[in-house]
Amino acid sequence: MGIRTGTDDAFKTRDLFEREITALKSIGHPHVPCYIDSFAEDFHGEERLYLVMEHVNGKNLAQIVKEQRINLDRVMNIAKQVTNILSYLQEFTPPIVHRDIKPDNLIETPDGKIKLIDFGSVNDAIAQGTRRTWTSVGTAGFAAPEVLLGKAFPASYIYSLGCTLVYLLSGGADIAREFTNDDHRLDFRGKLNLPAELEALLMRMTEPNVKRRIQTAEE
């Protein structure tokens, strides 16, 4: 993260960064890498802020799906593990929201455990009241519409998880291109040979309207 030193936004961004560090230090989940340290360096008048996290041995899901087809049982196991992580993050007050859940940020270790990485995009609702909106956070095709507009809620990562599961079940397709309908939402019904109950669940997870979407990992 780079910020121009000496500006009002720089002070607010550093404050936000420090608060995010506090949030990261509080996370103690076996499927989330441990926070180790943070530091800053000056680069031509720009202060660059860094987070140091535990190294995770394994391959991310984007790599794995390119190498092999991931069957339904394995996808459901991944879904259960990630939902467990998200449920844990939602228990914080305020909830900790990871704003960039996608296959590249989910690593499967050699023993089959899924770990959620890249917590540099974490947000614990502390950005409210500051001028910084973090509109650059989130990956098109996986980020919920509200995240790309600079807002994030616990339901936002339900959307991202749903997109990730569709991506895995499709064998790594460009889901935005392959499944977006005329109403600008993902519609994969009848195209992935899924059980009807699972298909309906994924449609609810990827509902563009955050108020009509599944709201919590527990749900």
Side-chain angles (χ1 to χ4, degrees):
M1 180 193 310
I3 53 176
R4 183 65 58 181
T5 58
T7 64
D8 185 50
D9 274 351
F11 290 113
K12 291 181 178 180
T13 301
R14 173 168 271 287
D15 180 64
L16 179 59
F17 183 71
E18 294 296 335
R19 294 184 186 214
E20 289 194 349
I21 290 172
T22 300
L24 290 172
K25 286 180 177 178
S26 67
I27 298 174
H29 193 281
H31 292 261
V32 176
C34 295
Y35 165 84
I36 296 174
D37 199 1
S38 62
F39 63 95
E41 68 173 5
D42 182 78
F43 185 78
H44 301 299
E46 180 181 79
E47 184 179 22
R48 294 188 173 182
L49 308 175
Y50 298 89
L51 293 172
V52 183
M53 305 291 287
E54 169 195 4
H55 172 73
V56 178
N57 184 33
K59 293 183 179 180
N60 68 51
L61 297 182
Q63 294 172 309
I64 292 173
V65 79
K66 290 178 182 178
E67 299 172 356
Q68 57 187 276
R69 189 80 182 192
I70 302 179
N71 64 34
L72 179 58
D73 287 343
R74 189 174 174 189
V75 171
M76 294 311 298
N77 178 264
I78 291 169
K80 290 176 182 178
Q81 292 191 58
V82 178
T83 304
N84 181 275
I85 301 170
L86 301 183
S87 181
Y88 169 81
L89 296 177
Q90 284 184 320
E91 292 175 357
F92 285 80
T93 304
I96 294 175
V97 179
H98 187 298
R99 302 175 71 158
D100 201 18
I101 292 174
K102 59 183 178 180
D104 298 81
N105 286 338
L106 292 165
I107 294 183
E108 186 177 65
T109 64
D111 60 355
K113 291 181 180 178
I114 300 297
K115 295 210 174 189
L116 177 60
I117 65 168
D118 193 15
F119 271 76
S121 60
V122 74
N123 173 274
D124 65 350
I126 53 179
Q128 296 179 12
T130 73
R131 292 168 57 192
R132 187 143 180 107
T133 60
W134 295 88
T135 53
S136 62
V137 175
T139 300
F142 295 97
E146 67 272 10
V147 171
L148 296 177
L149 294 174
K151 299 179 180 180
F153 310 96
S156 302
Y157 53 46
I158 299 299
Y159 182 96
S160 297
L161 175 58
C163 290
T164 295
L165 299 179
V166 172
Y167 172 85
L168 297 177
L169 291 164
S170 69
D174 182 340
I175 59 173
R177 184 181 65 184
E178 295 288 335
F179 302 130
T180 300
N181 64 19
D182 292 340
D183 294 323
H184 305 290
R185 73 151 297 169
L186 290 181
D187 189 355
F188 39 82
R189 290 173 294 184
K191 300 176 182 179
L192 296 176
N193 193 30
L194 301 176
E197 187 177 0
L198 175 58
E199 189 175 76
L201 174 65
L202 290 170
M203 287 293 289
R204 290 184 63 206
M205 293 174 72
T206 56
E207 163 62 54
N209 187 321
V210 65
K211 294 182 179 179
R212 294 199 295 262
R213 192 183 309 150
I214 291 176
Q215 295 296 300
T216 67
E218 195 65 30
E219 182 184 354

